[in-house]
Amino acid sequence: MMRTDWTRDEIAALFDMPFLDLVYEAASIHRAHHPRNEVQLSTLLSIKTGGCVEDCGYCNQSASAETGLKATKLMDVRAVLQAAAQAKDNGSSRFCMGAAWRSPKDRDMPAIVEMVKGVRQMGLETCMTLGMLSEKQAAQLADAGLDYYNHNIDTSPENYANVITTRTFEDRIETLENVRGAGINVCSGGIVGMGEKREDRVGFLHALATMPHPESVPINALVPVKGTVLGDMLADTPLAKIDEIEFVRTVAVARIVMPLSMVRLSAGRESMSDETQALCFMAGANSIFTGDKLLTTGNAGDDKDSALFARLGVRAMQGEVKAELEAAE
């Protein structure tokens, strides 16, 4: 049975391990539960960009950010399905769709449902991130066959108000409970490198590891964007880029405390060295977003990823991948 009773002291002790011992421990746990040398390729498409009323300090899609990003309407269903087909042709097994909303309006749900159904018919795993969900909306997505819903907790409960003021940490948890209650797999992680302390990274992973473990855990490194609160605050400071050894530590601890979850390298990967990414794969990361763009910021790109995989002897996972937590119970 997977542990959900981790203490903060236990997680802090993992962070404090000698680096090589920590990576070895994480790699051993990873190999016990996941195929070695396989990484899931996921594609993320922004289906509605900008104009969000939330004030997330890291996000250039916030209406309060001064980045020059133009708000768009919800994409046409056919255009989304065309993008999904291209993602599948490029080797992705999961297609993720994100809309810059505080929460979806009921009038938008029919189109969202059609997107989910269409992508699933292609044989791709489906994931949506639409902001906060009501129980009714979660049930609609479940009925459509949505595989995963992404709703990141972002950081530790204690640090949350330093990043976002328009909703609370508890609001995040409520949406995750609605998603889980509807029978949809949970995708939830956060962002490091926002000026937080290690104790906040401990608190962030503790929050995830003491709930029913998310089936997917994206670990993002902040991409400071000029015009956002955190981008302006951190762009010219050493805090703007988290130490790469500390980033690998975070990945390794996530793998140890959530052994069956897919741990995904997400935003910030385009500025990581090949060596850092290789260490992350060794430490248990087994999912990436591929393509040239991640919502509205740059990403490593398919060609660069293919070259890295060839150098490392890593291959893309084929077909649907679902972490079944009850299998270990």
Side-chain angles (χ1 to χ4, degrees), residues 26-42:
S28 300
I29 288 173
H30 177 79
R31 289 182 173 218
H33 296 285
H34 300 272
R36 63 183 66 184
N37 299 317
E38 289 190 7
V39 174
Q40 181 191 55
L41 302 185
S42 301

Side-chain angles (χ1 to χ4, degrees), residues 19-310:
F19 178 73
L20 296 181
D21 290 347
L22 174 63
V23 171
Y24 178 84
E25 177 72 13
S28 300
I29 288 173
H30 177 79
R31 289 182 173 218
H33 296 285
H34 300 272
R36 63 183 66 184
N37 299 317
E38 289 190 7
V39 174
Q40 181 191 55
L41 302 185
S42 301
T43 297
L44 176 60
L45 175 69
S46 179
I47 60 173
K48 190 277 175 188
T49 301
C52 182
V53 298
E54 302 281 16
D55 68 353
C56 306
Y58 51 80
C59 187
N60 65 343
Q61 300 199 66
S62 170
S64 61
E66 298 179 357
T67 62
L69 184 71
K70 291 185 65 176
T72 67
K73 295 181 179 179
L74 183 65
M75 284 179 65
D76 179 75
V77 174
R78 289 171 297 178
V80 172
L81 298 185
Q82 288 172 354
Q86 182 177 356
K88 183 178 180 179
D89 290 343
N90 290 337
S92 288
S93 60
R94 183 183 299 184
F95 191 69
C96 306
M97 295 157 275
W101 285 324
R102 175 179 172 84
S103 57
K105 294 181 172 61
D106 288 342
R107 68 170 182 261
D108 295 312
M109 291 305 294
I112 294 294
V113 164
E114 289 305 309
M115 292 176 192
V116 173
K117 290 180 177 179
V119 174
R120 276 186 60 84
Q121 287 173 0
M122 297 178 192
L124 290 167
E125 285 185 340
T126 52
C127 182
M128 283 276 182
T129 179
L130 311 170
M132 296 187 290
L133 289 183
S134 67
E135 289 185 11
K136 177 184 175 182
Q137 290 169 333
Q140 287 177 284
L141 292 174
D143 290 342
L146 184 68
D147 296 295
Y148 289 82
Y149 192 80
N150 167 259
H151 198 62
N152 291 337
I153 63 169
D154 289 335
T155 187
S156 68
E158 296 79 10
N159 191 45
Y160 192 84
N162 296 325
V163 178
I164 303 165
T165 66
T166 49
R167 59 180 163 190
T168 66
F169 189 86
E170 289 71 27
D171 289 333
R172 296 274 188 177
I173 299 302
E174 181 180 351
T175 286
L176 293 179
E177 290 174 347
N178 289 341
V179 168
R180 183 73 75 190
I184 301 171
N185 291 311
V186 167
C187 174
S188 187
I191 307 170
V192 296
M194 297 191 292
E196 78 282 350
K197 300 175 182 178
R198 178 182 278 186
E199 64 194 54
D200 292 310
R201 292 188 281 278
V202 170
F204 153 60
L205 292 180
H206 176 261
L208 292 172
T210 52
M211 65 173 70
H213 294 175
E215 283 79 7
S216 287
V217 180
I219 306 292
N220 299 272
L222 178 70
V223 179
V225 178
K226 187 176 181 181
T228 63
V229 173
L230 289 174
D232 290 343
M233 185 185 303
L234 301 177
D236 297 322
T237 73
L239 291 174
K241 189 173 186 294
I242 187 171
D243 174 82
E244 293 190 344
I245 295 296
E246 183 71 8
F247 186 85
V248 177
R249 282 186 183 276
T250 305
V251 170
V253 174
R255 168 53 66 217
I256 291 170
V257 299
M258 293 172 282
L260 294 182
S261 301
M262 302 293 291
V263 176
R264 180 182 301 124
L265 299 185
S266 297
R269 194 169 60 84
E270 78 288 346
S271 63
M272 293 179 191
S273 68
D274 286 355
E275 292 77 13
T276 296
Q277 293 183 69
L279 279 171
C280 287
F281 295 142
M282 172 66 77
N286 59 344
S287 181
I288 63 170
F289 278 125
T290 191
D292 298 320
K293 185 175 282 191
L294 196 60
L295 289 179
T296 60
T297 57
N299 196 36
D302 296 332
D303 292 343
K304 187 174 180 181
D305 289 337
S306 295
L308 175 60
F309 278 25

